[in-house]
Amino acid sequence: MSASSAFNDEKGGSSSVGEPEYGHDPASGGIFSSDYKRHDDLKEMLDSNKDSLKLEAMKRIVAMIARGKNASDLFPAVVKNVACKNIEVKKLVYVYLVRYAEEQQDLALLSISTFQRGLKDPNQLIRASALRVLSSIRVTIIVPIMMLAIKEAASDMSPYVRKTAAHAIPKLYSLDPEQKDQLIEVIEKLLADKTTLVAGSVVMAFEEVCPERIDLIHKNYRKLCNLLIDVEEWGQVVIINMLTRYARTQFLNPNINESLLEEGGGGEKTFYGSDEDEDEDEEEKEKKAEVAAMAKRKPYVMDPDHRLLLRNTKPLLQSRNAAVVMAVAQLYFHLAPKAEVGVIAKALVRLLRSHSEVQYVVLQNVATMTIKRRGMFEPYLKSFYIRSTDPTQIKVLKLEVLTNLANETNISTILREFQTYIKSMDKDFVAATIQAIGRCATNIGEVRDTCLNGLVQLLSNRDELVVAESVVVIKKLLQMQPEKHSDIIKHMAKLTDNIQVPMARASILWLIGEYCEHVPKIAPDVLRKMAKSFTNEEDIVKLQIINLAAKLYLTNSKQTKLLTQYVLNLAKYDQNYDIRDRARFIRQLIVPTEKSGALSKYAKKLFLALKPAPVLESPFKDRDHFQLGSLSHLLNAKAGGYQELPDWPEAAPDPSVRNVEVPEWTKCSSREKRKEKKVEKPFYSDSEGESGPTESADSESDSASGSESGSGSEESGSGSESEESEEGSESEEEEEEEEEKDKKKKKKELKKPVPETESEQSSEEEDRKIKRKSKQRKSDSESESDEDEESESESSQSESEDSESEIEVKKKKKTAEMKPPSKPVKKETKKEKKEMSLLDLDDFEPAPSPQVTPVNTFLSNSLVTDLEGLSLSDSVLSPATIAPSSVLKNYELLHRITGEGLSVEYCFSRQPFSPDANMVAVQMQFTNSATSDTKNLHMEDVKLQSGMRVKEFPEIELLSAGETAMAVMGIDFCDSTQAANFQLCTHTRKFFVSIQPPVGELMRPIFLTENEFKKEQGQLMGMNEITEKLTLDAKCRNEHAIVQRVTTAANLSRVPCGSDKECRFAGRTVTSSSLVLVTVATKEEGAAQLTVNCEKMVIGTMLVKDILLALTQ
Amino acid sequence: MIHSLFLINHSGDIFLEKHWKSVISRSVCDYFFEVKEKAVDPENVPPVLQTPHHYLISIYRGKLFFLSVVQTEVPPLFVIEFLHRVADTFQDYFGECSEGVIKDNLVTVYELLEEMLDNGFPLATESNVLKEMIRPPNILRSVVNTLTGGSNVGDTLPTGQLSNVPWRRAGVKYTNNEAYFDVVEEIDAILDKSGTTVFAEIQGVVEACVRLTGMPDLTLSFMNPRLLDDMSFHPCVRFKRWESERVLSFIPPDGNFTLMTYHVSSQNLVAIPVYVKQNINFFETGSCGRLDITIGPKQNMGKTVEGLMVTIHMPKVVLSANLTATQGNYTYDLTTKVLVWDIGKLNPQKLPNLRGSLSMQAGAPKPEENPSLNIDLKIQQLAISGLKVSRLDMYGEKYKPFKGVKYLTKAGKFQVRT
């Protein structure tokens, strides 16, 4: 054995041997196979200078470890190489170290300094790997070092290192639980981390170290919900499980009404109702009336955070990872309102197509679910049909599910299925099927007789197991209505001659004894036979024989007295303690003696009392008190470390604990936030509006269960959050942060007198923002949002000019209805711009000027409607204001010659297309240069790429010879330069034509301030940024010319800019509203640099080409 | 979470062990062996076992048991899914997941396991990330390594783990840029004796093989996405985009991967491509039986049915089969009692037929149940549900890739009850 294994070791690692005298020398492996010798040779290799030798040795050692062989005596030789330069050697040394450090603590300490050095390495990956190994070494003496390293890593710049720190926490905890308090501090810190990389790992650490500290989650709850979809799969599972528990402690039971109705506890209901009212009273004094009205109508209102969790986990049902799907399913099962739980059924059924192990676990959980929520899986009944190739354990579980799903309507199909299963060759499965039939029969009265008949037929089955199982089940069924079935009992009595399975024999005997009055002639005979074979029976059968004897003695003592005595005598000397005991007990009871106590009078009552029929229950009946999907649920026993799923609280704890305060966000958000946003943007979502913070803001608006509820502080908190998330251009970030703080300070000072209104305002601000966003997507007019924001920052920056603004506000008020917000593309002076922004400000933004409190409160009520009205009117009016200064370029659609006299030209009018804001307006000019009239000019047979849409121009009924007509059509190009093909039809002819837009026409101008521009640009870095160097055309070296050429090439608006070396332009794509930012920075001698930032990389690339062309020619 | 992993072969030898926390003696596996002994069939070993101090969670893949030891509460699916991911990784690295291959690459396997879990919690499971750290073996590299003393551990650090697209390795370069998609659909069906469908459904999967330079951003759209009822996606797919536009938008991992799996909505009737006429009889006396099976085409959309194969698990009493097949040939394995009739291409003019007699053990009672037939078939260039890819667009890179879509219909769990 040792020889061959040594040889294997040799082979396992000898793929890349440098020095044949060590590697392939038979002496080292084959002949001198003693362990000493071999290890000496490995030591020698480890001591050599050559990396290849070391590597070879390490490979052999690791192979030994992998096979479970002891290699601990090599420790000193290996640990020396911990600082080896070769990465692979180093890695293998780490592997070795982690494996044996626990056994060789003193020597392991030698390596520590290497890792400590690694922790300071500038490369994040080296820092992380050093921490990983250091924390994996289970040596108690280094606990303080580990603690220090973890603490340091927890505030590392790199999220990867922080992730490693999170991983290290449970390691240290298992090594020294004393460190718990300090570790909790680290966990708390890491929980606040906003990167997806860390989230999963830290929640894992939380679950292992301090699952009871649910309070640590409050502040991070919303963030975790929002990050969830981007966390890696394994982290998702852990987070979802933790959040399930969390939600159970923090929210009210969404099914409370139903469960109360079921119980009929009306009194309790009012209790809950009143309680809720109270809560709301405290929270939102101003909106009391509204909410109270709501509450009366509908006593249960789901907490918006509860809703947030349900909404954000739902997409994960589509995960490829079965564990994630299961986690979401259990979350829905435990937390969702009854009406919504159904969504998980489909996903769970999908998992049934996976590996059999997955099926096994899923079916167990489905079985539990079907007991409580049968309706959910009924549509998928057929997915649980059994194939002959399924493993038995799967078959049995499917059977369980089918049985649970059976009801009056589907029972006939299910029984037909069962019929085929009974013939299976797999006998264990057949036995399970028979039991399943029994359960169906007890649960559904209508089919009881049918089932019973079927089972009786099975009694003549050739397979004894089948018969035995049938007997057991029939016994249970007969107990329900014995009088009708005496012939079945007779039939079964006959079976005693043949059937050998003890359980079945026992069942028959019990049945005969119990109903001996129905079979008065047969019963004594059966007892006679049994008495004969008594000594050879199994224990359970013996017990039943005694029972039978006793019962017969009581009812028919004339015939059976002697037999009973005989049986009892046999039992008296039985080997089994229980049987002897039972015999003695029964003798005392039934055989009257002088000494017999009072009990024997009641013997008949004792033995022949009416026994309740057994309830055939699913083994999964009460399993749902374990969290589904857990190990404990599967085993139906509490596993170590299982966290009990708490019951719903009677009254919800204060929801405001989840509110995130302003200062916290300012402290940590800006930098990380931006980073995170930048990192995740492309995957998080395609449009900016859907990103995390906004979503959370969204949820808050949900909470408002109407317009605005929720506590003021909450709203203000998240308000600033979303504000900040939109901020943060890279270069200015620091400054801005400063500014931000200053601003806040100032604001605070200013607003001290009226703190209430302030928070209210900001909440409204936020609400509006949301509204705006959604509207922007829908109506997509001129994207007020940006302006809005600009005005906001603008105004707060210029606090000193507040008085001015106040005046402006008033002025504005007067002119509000008649005046469309004028937005000239070019703004010459700063002054003008400011004015404009202030104008806008009072259009939608009363908040930032706190002095005008009365106006604010007045405005706030109708703000939303105001806003809506404004933006609507805006979309109609704005075209005039934005009409480009440059001449529109005409394109030819149909030439005069091909069109047989009809020529068509089109241009992109750059006007919003009023019927549909997502369409680009195309203005067509029809000229009839033929001699005859053209009639019924219309379009037909539009061929488009997927997603594109066209709004046809109205039919031109008559175009007389020599005349010209105009028409406008709208095309939604879906932000692509794909052509729209269609036929232009006249009353006589059809012409194939196509319109292909230059990329510059796929956008519409928006107005941004310089700051906003920078912020947005900061968020569109990396792949979204394209930069080109160019030399400007000689004619176009002044600012004016550049602006002119760029705006001709693309439908963008100019962004004011402090420096005269730069021209900036901004726009949004028409369909998806993705930002398009263009910067032209001029340098000496016509050199210039063009930068385009756009989420849509294709658009960006094409736009660069076009602008380049425009500027260089 | 996962404490240790043992790899056990069919005959019950532990040939690899790995511990992520302190060492657990391999004697813990004895509990498993006990259950395995009882279960007879390895498929019937319960995946989760309880022992006095540990819980054993195992999977059975490629005739190997992956047995993990767990000490505390953990979602069992979490472990099972992870173990399958480990097996998938081996398959990906070495081409197959078998005892021999693992033994040959013991060190690589060990290194992989080291990277995949940290303290029992999954760390790097994406094959693209792993391949960056530990290069898969190939002949050329092992030759070069031998000559230069190089290694198969990547000397680059696993930057993929830091990226926002952790499933894609950085710096991908190809001279031939190509993206191929296979739409593979499986028909799961149960037909009863008379040929009527008891249950039928279509499962589909879109397998991708993408070898594209740089960071391409792909969009795959279907002609008729409404067919799809329930699907699961690779994490690279932008779910919101699918929700709103019903297109698959993703930055693909490098190499082979499963883009999505789907289920075709059950309202659509499933076309069953073949019909089976069968007649299996066992006689009460004379211990013999007759078998007569004919297969013909049904709804196959004008395509030829290929790779047709019928597998029958005979009752234990059937000793031998004396049959004649008009097409293809049959084998009867005496030990496993499995009759396999390999037909090949289905010719609609001349329907394949298998008939003859079965001889049974003398004196044994006739089996009560006729064995059911498992049918295997393939139809090239057809997705039976009618699903069609309409286009594939690439953004973010300038070159033109080769694109291709292949369709294939297979029989999944296709069973005819007799």
Side-chain angles (χ1 to χ4, degrees), chain A residues 1083-1100:
Chain A
K1083 291 169 192 156
E1084 287 89 54
E1085 294 175 15
Q1089 179 169 315
L1090 170 68
T1091 312
V1092 172
N1093 303 71
C1094 179
E1095 260 174 74
K1096 302 246 168 182
M1097 284 169 271
V1098 191
I1099 298 251

Side-chain angles (χ1 to χ4, degrees), chain A residues 964-1031:
Chain A
T964 304
M966 302 275 267
V968 180
M969 65 184 288
I971 305 177
D972 179 359
F973 286 105
C974 262
D975 291 348
S976 78
T977 52
Q978 309 274 9
N981 302 309
F982 56 90
Q983 287 182 11
L984 200 60
C985 306
T986 67
H987 62 299
T988 50
R989 286 288 314 263
K990 289 181 178 178
F991 308 104
F992 286 94
V993 291
S994 79
I995 293 180
Q996 186 169 26
V999 67
E1001 302 298 341
L1002 294 177
M1003 45 203 74
R1004 54 190 162 71
I1006 55 157
F1007 186 79
L1008 291 180
T1009 62
E1010 188 171 356
N1011 275 346
E1012 274 169 333
F1013 185 89
K1014 281 187 179 163
K1015 272 175 232 157
E1016 296 292 355
Q1017 194 173 30
Q1019 292 180 6
L1020 291 170
M1021 305 295 279
M1023 290 203 303
N1024 295 322
E1025 184 175 88
I1026 306 162
T1027 310
E1028 286 281 351
K1029 289 214 164 56
L1030 65 144
T1031 317

Side-chain angles (χ1 to χ4, degrees), chain A residues 459-589:
Chain A
L459 291 177
S460 48
N461 194 293
R462 225 176 303 128
D463 192 285
E464 198 185 355
L465 261 171
V466 174
V467 179
E469 201 65 44
S470 312
V471 168
V472 175
V473 174
I474 289 174
K475 175 204 136 193
K476 288 178 183 167
L477 286 180
L478 282 184
Q479 241 180 306
M480 292 176 179
Q481 31 189 191
E483 50 299 320
K484 288 207 274 175
H485 300 292
S486 55
D487 47 333
I488 297 180
I489 299 175
K490 279 178 202 153
H491 181 87
M492 288 173 73
K494 284 181 206 150
L495 286 172
T496 45
D497 295 340
N498 306 318
I499 209 161
Q500 293 306 321
V501 177
M503 189 61 209
R505 287 177 80 86
S507 294
I508 295 173
L509 291 177
W510 183 89
L511 210 58
I512 293 170
E514 190 65 23
Y515 306 115
C516 51
E517 279 138 342
H518 299 286
V519 282
K521 290 201 178 124
I522 298 173
D525 199 45
V526 172
L527 181 61
R528 181 184 60 80
K529 282 184 188 165
M530 286 300 135
K532 221 164 110 188
S533 62
F534 186 86
T535 42
N536 300 324
E537 298 290 351
E538 286 275 333
D539 289 347
I540 45 166
V541 185
K542 283 179 183 167
L543 286 175
Q544 289 307 328
I545 295 173
I546 300 174
N547 259 349
L548 173 67
K551 284 173 185 168
L552 283 176
Y553 184 88
L554 288 172
T555 52
N556 186 3
S557 59
K558 213 164 67 188
Q559 271 187 303
T560 56
K561 190 172 178 186
L562 287 172
L563 268 175
T564 309
Q565 294 282 9
Y566 176 67
V567 169
L568 288 176
N569 281 334
L570 281 177
K572 193 174 171 185
Y573 300 106
D574 199 87
Q575 282 186 327
N576 187 293
Y577 186 93
D578 282 340
I579 292 170
R580 292 200 305 269
D581 205 34
R582 176 76 61 93
R584 208 167 299 136
F585 156 71
I586 284 180
R587 191 190 292 272
Q588 286 305 313
L589 263 182

Side-chain angles (χ1 to χ4, degrees), chain B residues 251-303:
Chain B
I251 291 180
D254 185 42
N256 297 322
F257 65 101
T258 303
L259 182 61
M260 76 181 288
T261 61
Y262 61 87
H263 176 235
V264 174
S265 59
S266 38
Q267 289 100 315
N268 300 41
L269 278 178
V270 178
I272 305 289
V274 292
Y275 69 84
V276 182
K277 274 191 205 154
Q278 44 79 25
N279 187 11
I280 303 177
N281 277 326
F282 295 108
F283 302 123
E284 206 66 70
T285 50
S287 58
C288 67
R290 283 203 64 76
L291 178 145
D292 188 344
I293 304 171
T294 311
I295 297 188
K298 210 172 167 188
Q299 298 145 300
N300 50 13
M301 325 276 176
K303 308 266 184 192

